[in-house]
Amino acid sequence: MSNNSVTKYNGLIEASYRLSLNEARIVFYGISLINPISKDFPLEFTIEIKRFAEMFSIDSHSVYSIVKQAAMDRFWEREFTFQTEENKHMRLRWLTGIEYGDSQGYLKIFINPQLKPFLHHLIEGNFTKYYLANISDFKSIYSVRFYEIAIMELKRSKQNKKVFCLYVDDIKDRLELKEKYNRFSNFKASVLEPARKEINKHSDINFNYKII
């Protein structure tokens, strides 16, 4: 598990999208199988239930139904918007297909081939790599998103500490929460604080913030 890593184009980290935690885990599982410098790019992957359970500390007896439900319910239709290096905007879906067999506990995920340039043969300096072990114990998708933003900024700085500014409206846009948490106190209690606590407890970095 400690060797499984995720490598993503920074534009995907800054993209606007909403995923449940289990939907995000499916994405991470697939990305962890991609060698970003290899000639081969797998457009499909089979989820090994036992390995998935071990990766994310899920009860292996229920993981097939959990993953299948996550894949079939909304993930199939999930979209995201991000900015390319040419300052254009793209809106894509994560998947093009799902194949499953209940009797075999079998799930195959087909990745949108248009994602290939943003996960494969990435340009040095415009991508972020981190280890799955650093997010595997998170229970909030917001912890994952803030961790990715923080580790991206930290690696850009090439130092051990980085201070950066985010506008609340921009955060809510990235998380697709424009219509939620209109009171800042609710946003802080439901999004910021759970993320801060989980990142500091379970990951390899310390994450704190100040309200301006």
Side-chain angles (χ1 to χ4, degrees), residues 81-124:
T81 303
F82 66 100
Q83 186 169 307
T84 67
E85 291 181 319
E86 296 80 22
N87 292 322
K88 298 176 182 178
H89 288 84
M90 290 192 70
R91 188 160 184 85
L92 298 174
R93 288 190 175 184
W94 294 95
L95 308 182
T96 59
I98 302 168
E99 182 179 291
Y100 63 95
D102 292 338
S103 59
Q104 304 96 332
Y106 167 87
L107 274 165
K108 180 180 282 188
I109 305 296
F110 296 84
I111 302 172
N112 186 340
Q114 290 180 288
L115 285 172
K116 180 178 178 179
F118 311 108
L119 299 173
H120 198 235
H121 287 168
L122 298 171
I123 300 171
E124 185 177 356

Side-chain angles (χ1 to χ4, degrees), residues 126-172:
N126 203 23
F127 67 88
T128 297
K129 177 180 178 179
Y130 60 88
Y131 291 101
L132 269 180
N134 295 326
I135 64 167
S136 61
D137 289 329
F138 290 172
K139 304 303 179 187
S140 168
I141 185 59
Y142 305 133
S143 303
V144 176
R145 296 297 302 276
F146 276 107
Y147 176 85
E148 286 192 332
I149 293 169
I151 206 73
M152 176 185 69
E153 294 287 353
L154 191 62
K155 293 195 174 188
R156 277 174 171 170
S157 73
K158 298 181 180 180
Q159 297 183 23
N160 293 325
K161 183 178 181 179
K162 171 67 176 177
V163 177
F164 57 95
C165 286
L166 294 172
Y167 289 96
V168 173
D169 283 348
D170 290 342
I171 297 171
K172 293 179 74 173

Side-chain angles (χ1 to χ4, degrees), residues 17-18 25 29 45 50 53 60 77 79 88 101 105-107 110-111 122-123 152 171 177 196 199 201 212:
Y17 66 86
R18 183 185 299 180
R25 285 167 170 169
Y29 184 96
F45 62 92
K50 183 179 180 181
S60 59
E77 297 182 351
E79 298 177 334
K88 298 176 182 178
Y106 167 87
L107 274 165
F110 296 84
I111 302 172
L122 298 171
I123 300 171
M152 176 185 69
I171 297 171
L177 294 175
R196 183 188 67 81
I199 290 171
K201 183 177 180 180
I212 302 172

Side-chain angles (χ1 to χ4, degrees), residues 23-35:
E23 289 166 350
R25 285 167 170 169
I26 294 172
V27 173
F28 296 140
Y29 184 96
I31 293 176
S32 74
L33 302 177
I34 298 170
N35 182 340

